[in-house]
Amino acid sequence: MPTPQTILTRKTGAAAFLVFTVNDGGEDAVRDALAGLPGLSTAVGSRAPESALTAIVGIGSQAWDRLFAGPRPKSLRPFTALAGSVHSAPATPGDLLLHVKADRMDLCFEVGQRWTERLGDAVTTVEEVHGFRYFDMRDLIGFVDGTENPVGQEAIDAITVGDEDPDFAGGSYVVTQRYVTDFESWNDLPVPEQENAIGRTKLENIEMDDETKPANSHIALNVVTDDEGNEIDVVRDNMPYGDISGSGEKGTFYIAYSSAPDVSEEMLRQMFIGEPEGNYDRLLDFTTAVSGAQFFVPTRDFLEEQPPAPGPVPETAPEQPDARSDGSLGIGSLR
């Protein structure tokens, strides 16, 4: 199998998330920057190898055919906007995702700055979020985030495309959303009601049992199972972000990797539409999704040895009369 990009790492102290759109005529510059990202990450990471620096790039559905000829990942599609009875998940522009994480923000900044310099005016930045670790991996609402992530081989299986799409084996799918939290309303909520909204105790980080956990809790609506009742996992790498001043936005940058987008899409459907319909995620009464995009993360080999760029669309030649009517052999039709 080709070498995947390094998605699975220990939890780091910092992350930068950048989403771009590709400008008309910028495709060649983007291809060059994609090819150079693995080497750039390695070079910067060599300055502080203990900091677990990694840089991951994803490519959106609408950009894929502008960048590469040949086959495309079979499940690559745009983010699906959702409109529930109360809350909505918008779809926002996104052709490229750069996810950089390390123990130190200066390393994330260095990779992000150098890569965007290489891209130049080939792209437009539509979102930039700097995430940080908050105490013992808690969200700003005070609850531990990512407790249910799979580990080891289960995590590898959860995020890795396999024989179902052999041209893109070793790749992953990723969905991103930025949430803005209403902390005034959340902090007015008594802790027991906060715990019911999450489905987990706040201090001890213990999940409620099925008899106690409310059906509209965040954890209850994030469970997706297959036809045999087995839970299907994703790997979340969320980070808190925010401005310090009271008037600034703050919340969670949600990012989830998977072997296919179906499971993430089903989780979000359950959260926003409800399961059953109308039984939406109680946490959404306190936090609002303001962005949403979906990408494919190809292997490192793909980035370094890309397929050809798509050629110009050929003009259709005018239809020619059938030469066989005048006795010719009719070889080499121009149609």
Side-chain angles (χ1 to χ4, degrees):
M1 180 177 291
T3 303
Q5 295 187 59
T6 304
I7 296 170
L8 298 175
T9 65
R10 59 174 171 78
K11 286 294 185 179
T12 58
F17 308 95
L18 294 102
V19 178
F20 310 91
T21 53
V22 178
N23 298 330
D24 290 342
E27 292 82 3
D28 288 343
V30 169
R31 286 171 54 89
D32 289 344
L34 289 172
L37 181 61
L40 172 62
S41 177
T42 298
V44 175
S46 68
R47 305 180 195 177
E50 74 284 357
S51 294
L53 172 70
T54 185
I56 305 150
V57 66
I59 302 159
S61 178
Q62 294 179 338
W64 188 274
D65 295 329
R66 295 171 57 192
L67 296 170
F68 311 116
R72 54 183 277 139
K74 72 175 187 178
S75 295
L76 179 58
R77 51 185 178 262
F79 181 89
T80 301
L82 296 166
S85 57
V86 179
H87 301 291
S88 298
T92 51
D95 290 332
L96 298 173
L97 165 70
L98 178 65
H99 175 196
V100 192
K101 53 181 176 174
D103 285 332
R104 294 166 37 180
M105 180 53 78
D106 61 334
L107 299 174
C108 299
F109 188 90
E110 180 76 356
V111 172
Q113 178 175 247
R114 288 188 176 275
W115 201 62
T116 54
E117 287 174 350
R118 185 170 297 182
L119 287 165
D121 59 6
V123 300
T124 298
T125 305
V126 294
E127 189 160 51
E128 178 175 349
V129 176
H130 297 182
F132 54 89
R133 181 170 173 174
Y134 189 59
F135 296 108
D136 50 339
M137 295 186 292
R138 292 180 184 262
D139 196 289
L140 294 180
I141 62 174
F143 285 78
V144 175
D145 195 7
T147 302
E148 296 300 315
N149 270 348
V151 296
Q153 187 62 47
E154 290 184 358
I156 295 171
D157 294 341
I159 69 169
T160 307
V161 174
D163 293 340
E164 71 277 9
D165 193 3
D167 288 333
F168 296 97
S172 300
Y173 292 88
V174 60
V175 62
T176 65
Q177 291 179 293
R178 183 168 69 88
Y179 286 85
V180 177
T181 301
D182 178 357
F183 285 98
E184 183 176 356
S185 297
W186 176 256
N187 291 331
D188 284 343
L189 203 65
V191 169
E193 291 188 37
Q194 291 181 355
E195 293 176 336
N196 283 336
I198 299 298
R200 185 181 293 277
T201 60
K202 190 171 187 178
L203 178 62
E204 302 87 356
N205 188 35
I206 297 174
E207 185 174 346
M208 298 176 179
D209 58 44
D210 291 341
E211 290 72 28
T212 306
K213 188 190 309 170
N216 67 343
S217 67
H218 181 66
I219 290 177
L221 290 170
N222 268 258
V223 173
V224 175
T225 58
D226 60 21
D227 293 338
E228 298 176 352
N230 301 310
E231 188 171 340
I232 307 173
D233 290 320
V234 300
V235 172
R236 301 171 183 84
D237 213 352
N238 306 347
M239 277 283 197
Y241 75 92
D243 298 329
I244 293 174
S245 66
S247 60
E249 290 185 340
K250 50 183 68 74
T252 299
F253 193 89
Y254 170 83
I255 181 166
Y257 291 92
S258 60
S259 61
D262 309 63
V263 58
S264 296
E265 291 173 348
E266 177 59 18
M267 284 181 180
L268 294 176
R269 187 200 66 78
Q270 292 180 178
M271 288 173 58
F272 284 86
I273 306 300
E275 185 62 35
E277 187 170 341
N279 182 55
Y280 65 85
D281 188 340
R282 170 70 167 139
L283 183 59
L284 294 178
D285 288 336
F286 306 94
T287 190
T288 301
V290 296
S291 69
Q294 194 157 258
F295 309 88
F296 181 74
V297 178
T299 62
R300 181 170 176 145
D301 302 65
F302 182 96
L303 296 177
E304 294 176 338
E305 299 183 16
Q306 299 168 25
V313 178
E315 295 184 6
T316 303
E319 188 170 342
Q320 301 296 313
D322 188 344
R324 285 169 292 184
S325 61
D326 62 6
S328 75
L329 295 176
I331 297 173
S333 171
L334 297 178
R335 286 182 290 175

